[in-house]
Amino acid sequence: MDEPVVLLERRDDGVAVVTLNNGKVNALSGAVVAALHQIADSLTAEPPAAVVVTGGERIFAAGADISEFGGPDEARAITDSFHGALDAVAAVPRFVIAAVAGYALGGGCELALACDYRIASEKAVFGQPEILLGTIPGGGGTQRLARQVGPSRAKELCITGRQVAADEALRIGLADEVVAHDGLHDRALSLAAECARGAVLAQSFAKSAIDRGLSTSLADGLLIERDAFVDSFRTEDSQIGVKSFLEHGPGKAEFTGT
Ligand code: COA
């Protein structure tokens, strides 16, 4: 039987690892995008404690499968399925870390942008090269890239199709960390495991308040935070965390994730 095009491993430490597994360039074909969407929905339905999304060692993902391109009708189906899947990734109510070993181009870059945090290997390369095909990003790139690196840099990258190496990606805020190629997966897994030991429900309130706040005015975002702050006190972990602090000092709480 063929291997699945996207792999999901739920580890004992609570970390779920999602791995793109579609041949040597990890093109994001319709089948890959559908599998990713289904896996993201399953991670929302039964949340792990943290998530790592990764791809191939040389190519994280080469973007949409260009052999599936056609005219406007195909484009509509592709953009609808990409947005559905990447919105589902962004909506997973836990910290989602992209571990990018190599090329993250087009939809690969957009997938990394839909994650909460990007750890790049020193060999990683990011880009939105769709313009070189005479088209534009259709998986959220114009919006998420602009929010990540600012509108002028996003326009320059989308309009030239220029690729960005890891050091520049770090400098412009497209990557959040750059690590040695061989250390990428250990770093991503250890950060995810650290988060998994934390107050994961409060983490999800923080994630959601930041994401929802960025889509609205500052005043509305501040209202969102006030409600999320109150909601965090409905969790058992807030009782555990406060009690532990008062009795033993900071950083010693053993959270239950409830
Ligand atoms: N969709 C479909 N096929 C793709 C692809 C994609 N996004 N990216 C690469 N391929 C195919 C190539 O056509 C080639 O096919 P072939 O072996 O039948 O000739 C094969 O994968 C290997 O690609 P190649 O360019 O020879 O490999 P490389 O290692 O030199 O470069 C990339 C790898 C990813 C840097 C390069 O292929 C690339 O830039 N791909 C396009 C990225 C892109 O424009 N993405 C946006 C899509 S909207």
PDB file of all heavy atoms in Angstrom, residues 205-206 208-229:
ATOM      1  N   PHE A 205      -5.763  30.191  24.650  1.00  0.00           N
ATOM      2  CA  PHE A 205      -6.441  31.495  24.815  1.00  0.00           C
ATOM      3  C   PHE A 205      -5.532  32.622  24.329  1.00  0.00           C
ATOM      4  O   PHE A 205      -5.984  33.574  23.691  1.00  0.00           O
ATOM      5  CB  PHE A 205      -6.826  31.734  26.271  1.00  0.00           C
ATOM      6  CG  PHE A 205      -7.930  30.826  26.774  1.00  0.00           C
ATOM      7  CD1 PHE A 205      -7.830  30.214  28.011  1.00  0.00           C
ATOM      8  CD2 PHE A 205      -9.062  30.583  26.020  1.00  0.00           C
ATOM      9  CE1 PHE A 205      -8.836  29.379  28.485  1.00  0.00           C
ATOM     10  CE2 PHE A 205     -10.073  29.745  26.479  1.00  0.00           C
ATOM     11  CZ  PHE A 205      -9.961  29.144  27.722  1.00  0.00           C
ATOM     12  N   ALA A 206      -4.228  32.528  24.647  1.00  0.00           N
ATOM     13  CA  ALA A 206      -3.285  33.572  24.209  1.00  0.00           C
ATOM     14  C   ALA A 206      -3.195  33.593  22.688  1.00  0.00           C
ATOM     15  O   ALA A 206      -3.253  34.658  22.053  1.00  0.00           O
ATOM     16  CB  ALA A 206      -1.910  33.324  24.827  1.00  0.00           C
ATOM     17  N   SER A 208      -5.358  32.517  20.454  1.00  0.00           N
ATOM     18  CA  SER A 208      -6.601  32.976  19.842  1.00  0.00           C
ATOM     19  C   SER A 208      -6.778  34.489  20.030  1.00  0.00           C
ATOM     20  O   SER A 208      -7.204  35.197  19.112  1.00  0.00           O
ATOM     21  CB  SER A 208      -7.752  32.177  20.457  1.00  0.00           C
ATOM     22  OG  SER A 208      -8.947  32.816  20.262  1.00  0.00           O
ATOM     23  N   ALA A 209      -6.427  35.007  21.208  1.00  0.00           N
ATOM     24  CA  ALA A 209      -6.581  36.454  21.437  1.00  0.00           C
ATOM     25  C   ALA A 209      -5.658  37.228  20.493  1.00  0.00           C
ATOM     26  O   ALA A 209      -6.063  38.253  19.920  1.00  0.00           O
ATOM     27  CB  ALA A 209      -6.266  36.786  22.894  1.00  0.00           C
ATOM     28  N   ILE A 210      -4.443  36.745  20.310  1.00  0.00           N
ATOM     29  CA  ILE A 210      -3.506  37.440  19.405  1.00  0.00           C
ATOM     30  C   ILE A 210      -4.028  37.375  17.972  1.00  0.00           C
ATOM     31  O   ILE A 210      -4.093  38.380  17.259  1.00  0.00           O
ATOM     32  CB  ILE A 210      -2.093  36.835  19.534  1.00  0.00           C
ATOM     33  CG1 ILE A 210      -1.507  37.182  20.915  1.00  0.00           C
ATOM     34  CG2 ILE A 210      -1.183  37.337  18.410  1.00  0.00           C
ATOM     35  CD1 ILE A 210      -0.260  36.394  21.292  1.00  0.00           C
ATOM     36  N   ASP A 211      -4.411  36.167  17.525  1.00  0.00           N
ATOM     37  CA  ASP A 211      -4.879  36.027  16.137  1.00  0.00           C
ATOM     38  C   ASP A 211      -6.157  36.823  15.882  1.00  0.00           C
ATOM     39  O   ASP A 211      -6.275  37.537  14.876  1.00  0.00           O
ATOM     40  CB  ASP A 211      -5.120  34.549  15.810  1.00  0.00           C
ATOM     41  CG  ASP A 211      -3.813  33.807  15.581  1.00  0.00           C
ATOM     42  OD1 ASP A 211      -2.775  34.465  15.321  1.00  0.00           O
ATOM     43  OD2 ASP A 211      -3.814  32.561  15.662  1.00  0.00           O
ATOM     44  N   ARG A 212      -7.111  36.718  16.798  1.00  0.00           N
ATOM     45  CA  ARG A 212      -8.377  37.442  16.574  1.00  0.00           C
ATOM     46  C   ARG A 212      -8.146  38.944  16.679  1.00  0.00           C
ATOM     47  O   ARG A 212      -8.707  39.731  15.928  1.00  0.00           O
ATOM     48  CB  ARG A 212      -9.432  36.977  17.579  1.00  0.00           C
ATOM     49  CG  ARG A 212      -9.911  35.548  17.305  1.00  0.00           C
ATOM     50  CD  ARG A 212     -10.806  35.054  18.427  1.00  0.00           C
ATOM     51  NE  ARG A 212     -11.974  35.890  18.599  1.00  0.00           N
ATOM     52  CZ  ARG A 212     -12.604  36.058  19.768  1.00  0.00           C
ATOM     53  NH1 ARG A 212     -12.170  35.452  20.859  1.00  0.00           N
ATOM     54  NH2 ARG A 212     -13.674  36.824  19.840  1.00  0.00           N
ATOM     55  N   GLY A 213      -7.278  39.341  17.607  1.00  0.00           N
ATOM     56  CA  GLY A 213      -6.994  40.767  17.781  1.00  0.00           C
ATOM     57  C   GLY A 213      -6.353  41.373  16.551  1.00  0.00           C
ATOM     58  O   GLY A 213      -6.621  42.524  16.199  1.00  0.00           O
ATOM     59  N   LEU A 214      -5.492  40.605  15.882  1.00  0.00           N
ATOM     60  CA  LEU A 214      -4.820  41.128  14.688  1.00  0.00           C
ATOM     61  C   LEU A 214      -5.784  41.343  13.526  1.00  0.00           C
ATOM     62  O   LEU A 214      -5.451  42.012  12.560  1.00  0.00           O
ATOM     63  CB  LEU A 214      -3.694  40.179  14.256  1.00  0.00           C
ATOM     64  CG  LEU A 214      -2.426  40.264  15.106  1.00  0.00           C
ATOM     65  CD1 LEU A 214      -1.456  39.157  14.727  1.00  0.00           C
ATOM     66  CD2 LEU A 214      -1.763  41.623  14.952  1.00  0.00           C
ATOM     67  N   SER A 215      -6.961  40.712  13.599  1.00  0.00           N
ATOM     68  CA  SER A 215      -7.949  40.865  12.517  1.00  0.00           C
ATOM     69  C   SER A 215      -8.942  41.972  12.810  1.00  0.00           C
ATOM     70  O   SER A 215      -9.926  42.129  12.091  1.00  0.00           O
ATOM     71  CB  SER A 215      -8.730  39.565  12.320  1.00  0.00           C
ATOM     72  OG  SER A 215      -7.845  38.521  12.085  1.00  0.00           O
ATOM     73  N   THR A 216      -8.709  42.701  13.893  1.00  0.00           N
ATOM     74  CA  THR A 216      -9.701  43.717  14.247  1.00  0.00           C
ATOM     75  C   THR A 216      -8.983  44.981  14.728  1.00  0.00           C
ATOM     76  O   THR A 216      -7.779  45.118  14.582  1.00  0.00           O
ATOM     77  CB  THR A 216     -10.676  43.136  15.302  1.00  0.00           C
ATOM     78  OG1 THR A 216     -11.694  44.080  15.544  1.00  0.00           O
ATOM     79  CG2 THR A 216      -9.994  42.768  16.601  1.00  0.00           C
ATOM     80  N   SER A 217      -9.744  45.920  15.287  1.00  0.00           N
ATOM     81  CA  SER A 217      -9.125  47.150  15.805  1.00  0.00           C
ATOM     82  C   SER A 217      -8.429  46.863  17.134  1.00  0.00           C
ATOM     83  O   SER A 217      -8.714  45.856  17.793  1.00  0.00           O
ATOM     84  CB  SER A 217     -10.208  48.205  16.021  1.00  0.00           C
ATOM     85  OG  SER A 217     -11.076  47.773  17.054  1.00  0.00           O
ATOM     86  N   LEU A 218      -7.555  47.783  17.545  1.00  0.00           N
ATOM     87  CA  LEU A 218      -6.896  47.627  18.847  1.00  0.00           C
ATOM     88  C   LEU A 218      -7.938  47.582  19.963  1.00  0.00           C
ATOM     89  O   LEU A 218      -7.872  46.740  20.862  1.00  0.00           O
ATOM     90  CB  LEU A 218      -5.913  48.781  19.080  1.00  0.00           C
ATOM     91  CG  LEU A 218      -5.240  48.795  20.463  1.00  0.00           C
ATOM     92  CD1 LEU A 218      -4.415  47.526  20.705  1.00  0.00           C
ATOM     93  CD2 LEU A 218      -4.356  50.032  20.607  1.00  0.00           C
ATOM     94  N   ALA A 219      -8.934  48.466  19.867  1.00  0.00           N
ATOM     95  CA  ALA A 219      -9.943  48.514  20.938  1.00  0.00           C
ATOM     96  C   ALA A 219     -10.683  47.182  21.037  1.00  0.00           C
ATOM     97  O   ALA A 219     -10.884  46.643  22.135  1.00  0.00           O
ATOM     98  CB  ALA A 219     -10.918  49.653  20.667  1.00  0.00           C
ATOM     99  N   ASP A 220     -11.075  46.612  19.892  1.00  0.00           N
ATOM    100  CA  ASP A 220     -11.782  45.321  19.933  1.00  0.00           C
ATOM    101  C   ASP A 220     -10.841  44.206  20.391  1.00  0.00           C
ATOM    102  O   ASP A 220     -11.250  43.294  21.098  1.00  0.00           O
ATOM    103  CB  ASP A 220     -12.381  44.993  18.563  1.00  0.00           C
ATOM    104  CG  ASP A 220     -13.609  45.854  18.278  1.00  0.00           C
ATOM    105  OD1 ASP A 220     -14.132  46.474  19.226  1.00  0.00           O
ATOM    106  OD2 ASP A 220     -14.020  45.917  17.110  1.00  0.00           O
ATOM    107  N   GLY A 221      -9.565  44.289  19.960  1.00  0.00           N
ATOM    108  CA  GLY A 221      -8.594  43.288  20.400  1.00  0.00           C
ATOM    109  C   GLY A 221      -8.406  43.322  21.907  1.00  0.00           C
ATOM    110  O   GLY A 221      -8.295  42.273  22.559  1.00  0.00           O
ATOM    111  N   LEU A 222      -8.409  44.499  22.467  1.00  0.00           N
ATOM    112  CA  LEU A 222      -8.254  44.602  23.924  1.00  0.00           C
ATOM    113  C   LEU A 222      -9.469  44.008  24.640  1.00  0.00           C
ATOM    114  O   LEU A 222      -9.330  43.377  25.696  1.00  0.00           O
ATOM    115  CB  LEU A 222      -8.025  46.066  24.316  1.00  0.00           C
ATOM    116  CG  LEU A 222      -6.660  46.619  23.841  1.00  0.00           C
ATOM    117  CD1 LEU A 222      -6.580  48.130  24.058  1.00  0.00           C
ATOM    118  CD2 LEU A 222      -5.498  45.930  24.535  1.00  0.00           C
ATOM    119  N   LEU A 223     -10.652  44.161  24.046  1.00  0.00           N
ATOM    120  CA  LEU A 223     -11.846  43.527  24.636  1.00  0.00           C
ATOM    121  C   LEU A 223     -11.735  42.007  24.567  1.00  0.00           C
ATOM    122  O   LEU A 223     -12.091  41.296  25.509  1.00  0.00           O
ATOM    123  CB  LEU A 223     -13.112  43.984  23.899  1.00  0.00           C
ATOM    124  CG  LEU A 223     -13.565  45.419  24.161  1.00  0.00           C
ATOM    125  CD1 LEU A 223     -14.749  45.769  23.268  1.00  0.00           C
ATOM    126  CD2 LEU A 223     -13.919  45.592  25.638  1.00  0.00           C
ATOM    127  N   ILE A 224     -11.222  41.518  23.433  1.00  0.00           N
ATOM    128  CA  ILE A 224     -11.030  40.062  23.276  1.00  0.00           C
ATOM    129  C   ILE A 224     -10.098  39.559  24.380  1.00  0.00           C
ATOM    130  O   ILE A 224     -10.339  38.534  25.014  1.00  0.00           O
ATOM    131  CB  ILE A 224     -10.466  39.745  21.874  1.00  0.00           C
ATOM    132  CG1 ILE A 224     -11.546  39.971  20.806  1.00  0.00           C
ATOM    133  CG2 ILE A 224      -9.926  38.324  21.802  1.00  0.00           C
ATOM    134  CD1 ILE A 224     -11.022  39.962  19.368  1.00  0.00           C
ATOM    135  N   GLU A 225      -9.025  40.297  24.625  1.00  0.00           N
ATOM    136  CA  GLU A 225      -8.085  39.866  25.664  1.00  0.00           C
ATOM    137  C   GLU A 225      -8.750  39.822  27.042  1.00  0.00           C
ATOM    138  O   GLU A 225      -8.529  38.893  27.824  1.00  0.00           O
ATOM    139  CB  GLU A 225      -6.875  40.796  25.714  1.00  0.00           C
ATOM    140  CG  GLU A 225      -5.869  40.344  26.780  1.00  0.00           C
ATOM    141  CD  GLU A 225      -4.786  41.364  27.061  1.00  0.00           C
ATOM    142  OE1 GLU A 225      -4.998  42.230  27.958  1.00  0.00           O
ATOM    143  OE2 GLU A 225      -3.751  41.294  26.401  1.00  0.00           O
ATOM    144  N   ARG A 226      -9.577  40.830  27.344  1.00  0.00           N
ATOM    145  CA  ARG A 226     -10.196  40.855  28.674  1.00  0.00           C
ATOM    146  C   ARG A 226     -11.027  39.594  28.896  1.00  0.00           C
ATOM    147  O   ARG A 226     -10.964  38.975  29.970  1.00  0.00           O
ATOM    148  CB  ARG A 226     -11.047  42.115  28.822  1.00  0.00           C
ATOM    149  CG  ARG A 226     -10.174  43.344  28.980  1.00  0.00           C
ATOM    150  CD  ARG A 226     -10.884  44.620  28.627  1.00  0.00           C
ATOM    151  NE  ARG A 226     -11.884  45.003  29.599  1.00  0.00           N
ATOM    152  CZ  ARG A 226     -12.378  46.248  29.683  1.00  0.00           C
ATOM    153  NH1 ARG A 226     -11.931  47.182  28.861  1.00  0.00           N
ATOM    154  NH2 ARG A 226     -13.288  46.532  30.563  1.00  0.00           N
ATOM    155  N   ASP A 227     -11.785  39.194  27.887  1.00  0.00           N
ATOM    156  CA  ASP A 227     -12.600  37.977  28.033  1.00  0.00           C
ATOM    157  C   ASP A 227     -11.727  36.726  28.121  1.00  0.00           C
ATOM    158  O   ASP A 227     -12.006  35.819  28.905  1.00  0.00           O
ATOM    159  CB  ASP A 227     -13.564  37.844  26.842  1.00  0.00           C
ATOM    160  CG  ASP A 227     -14.710  38.842  26.942  1.00  0.00           C
ATOM    161  OD1 ASP A 227     -14.960  39.355  28.063  1.00  0.00           O
ATOM    162  OD2 ASP A 227     -15.334  39.135  25.906  1.00  0.00           O
ATOM    163  N   ALA A 228     -10.663  36.702  27.304  1.00  0.00           N
ATOM    164  CA  ALA A 228      -9.799  35.509  27.313  1.00  0.00           C
ATOM    165  C   ALA A 228      -9.080  35.369  28.650  1.00  0.00           C
ATOM    166  O   ALA A 228      -8.897  34.259  29.163  1.00  0.00           O
ATOM    167  CB  ALA A 228      -8.785  35.600  26.164  1.00  0.00           C
ATOM    168  N   PHE A 229      -8.683  36.512  29.218  1.00  0.00           N
ATOM    169  CA  PHE A 229      -8.038  36.498  30.545  1.00  0.00           C
ATOM    170  C   PHE A 229      -8.983  35.872  31.576  1.00  0.00           C
ATOM    171  O   PHE A 229      -8.597  34.990  32.341  1.00  0.00           O
ATOM    172  CB  PHE A 229      -7.676  37.939  30.927  1.00  0.00           C
ATOM    173  CG  PHE A 229      -7.063  38.091  32.288  1.00  0.00           C
ATOM    174  CD1 PHE A 229      -5.773  37.655  32.558  1.00  0.00           C
ATOM    175  CD2 PHE A 229      -7.787  38.696  33.326  1.00  0.00           C
ATOM    176  CE1 PHE A 229      -5.203  37.808  33.818  1.00  0.00           C
ATOM    177  CE2 PHE A 229      -7.228  38.856  34.587  1.00  0.00           C
ATOM    178  CZ  PHE A 229      -5.937  38.410  34.835  1.00  0.00           C
TER     179      PHE A 229
END
